[in-house]
Amino acid sequence: MTEIVDDKAFQSESRTLADRVCEEIVNAIVVGDIPPGQKISEPELARTYGISRGPLREAMRRLEALRLVERKPHIGARVVNLSAKELVEIYRVREALEGMACRLAAENMPQDEIDSLRTLLNEHEQNIEQLDGRSYFQKEGDLDFHYRIVHGSKNSKLLEFLGGDLYHLVRMYRYQFSVSSSRPKRALKEHRQIIDAIESRDPELAEMLMRRHIGAARRNVEEKLNAATETRGE
């Protein structure tokens, strides 16, 4: 008897595998396990994650759409590696747009979302302590302080800009440049000050604190990039 294959069930399973693998690779890229500029070997990834080439190719397409992976002729797929100029430009855009989002969150964010965000920051503090203050890794979406602020602005265009194509790319550099002896704890303190301003319904203060927070992160990035350049003797 010929076995009948349920195409819809097979496609659904493939999408589920692609979702899982895409999420795992995204996290590996964000925390630097797969570093910027590294060439991607699809056969190696298929072995690592125990999946066939079909779901992996779908996951790779999603990673390209998220701008974490790029393909170049005669080179293949690599993890994206932004220039110093591009990084600083992204941080300057974040200063403006997330500052605006924070102002709107102070006006529009419901109290239950503020309370939930405080609970999230308590969880972040525990995670930082477990890592001895070495890093501040925020998972995506509702587990990400910055994402929650943008969502709390209730402005669909800001959510589209800041939660769209560049979101995971920003997460990657936020994480990798926050790994220092003092920045993770300081960033958490700044997050608490921001949520205090939002709860006080002080839009001007909330915007100023967010812009100052991202400005400090930008300067941290610039210092690390300059130190790396000096080390290479450029």
Side-chain angles (χ1 to χ4, degrees):
M1 181 177 178
T2 302
E3 183 178 357
I4 299 175
V5 177
D6 186 336
D7 287 341
K8 289 184 178 179
F10 177 77
Q11 291 171 4
S12 176
E13 182 181 357
S14 295
R15 282 195 295 271
T16 300
L17 284 171
D19 289 339
R20 175 180 62 80
V21 171
C22 184
E23 181 180 350
E24 291 183 16
I25 297 175
V26 164
N27 284 331
I29 291 173
V30 166
V31 302
D33 290 341
I34 306 177
Q38 179 166 308
K39 188 173 181 179
I40 302 267
S41 167
E42 292 190 17
E44 183 177 334
L45 286 179
R47 289 192 297 271
T48 299
Y49 293 100
I51 61 170
S52 63
R53 297 292 294 277
L56 178 60
R57 281 193 293 269
E58 173 61 26
M60 291 295 293
R61 282 193 291 270
R62 296 182 192 184
L63 290 166
E64 289 182 67
L66 293 172
R67 300 181 66 172
L68 289 175
V69 169
E70 58 184 0
R71 289 185 185 275
K72 293 186 177 180
H74 313 299
I75 296 177
R78 290 183 182 273
V79 176
V80 69
N81 191 14
L82 294 184
S83 68
K85 180 175 181 290
E86 288 173 315
L87 272 175
V88 172
E89 286 177 349
I90 285 176
Y91 271 83
R92 289 195 180 279
V93 169
R94 287 186 60 211
E95 280 184 60
L97 293 184
E98 290 197 38
M100 184 189 304
C102 212
R103 167 182 286 271
L104 293 174
E107 297 172 350
N108 300 316
M109 197 172 192
Q111 186 61 45
D112 63 327
E113 291 185 18
I114 294 172
D115 294 340
S116 177
L117 193 49
R118 286 195 182 279
T119 299
L120 179 66
L121 290 183
N122 290 337
E123 294 172 3
H124 288 178
E125 182 175 22
Q126 292 176 5
N127 292 337
I128 291 173
E129 289 175 352
Q130 289 172 1
L131 294 169
D132 296 326
R134 292 190 304 272
S135 68
Y136 187 172
F137 176 56
Q138 300 178 60
K139 294 184 179 180
E140 65 182 289
D142 286 344
L143 299 176
D144 180 345
F145 174 82
H146 289 267
Y147 180 90
R148 293 273 286 270
I149 293 292
V150 175
H151 189 272
S153 75
K154 308 307 176 186
N155 185 297
S156 61
K157 291 303 178 183
L158 280 175
L159 187 58
E160 180 181 328
F161 291 144
L162 295 171
D165 288 350
L166 287 176
Y167 175 64
H168 290 289
L169 192 61
V170 168
R171 282 184 69 224
M172 178 176 76
Y173 284 101
R174 260 177 36 205
Y175 174 80
Q176 293 181 22
F177 283 103
S178 76
V179 179
S180 68
S181 59
S182 61
R183 184 62 196 160
K185 289 183 178 180
R186 189 161 67 246
L188 179 66
K189 181 180 179 180
E190 291 166 4
H191 285 177
R192 292 194 185 282
Q193 292 171 339
I194 288 167
I195 199 63
D196 285 345
I198 290 173
E199 187 168 32
S200 298
R201 304 303 179 187
D202 190 333
E204 288 78 14
L205 180 60
E207 179 175 8
M208 183 196 73
L209 289 173
M210 180 60 86
R211 290 180 68 105
R212 184 183 294 171
H213 170 65
I214 297 175
R218 173 178 53 79
R219 288 188 292 275
N220 184 52
V221 167
E222 290 176 316
E223 288 172 6
K224 287 182 178 290
L225 289 171
N226 290 336
T229 299
E230 291 173 4
T231 299
R232 292 194 300 266
E234 295 178 4

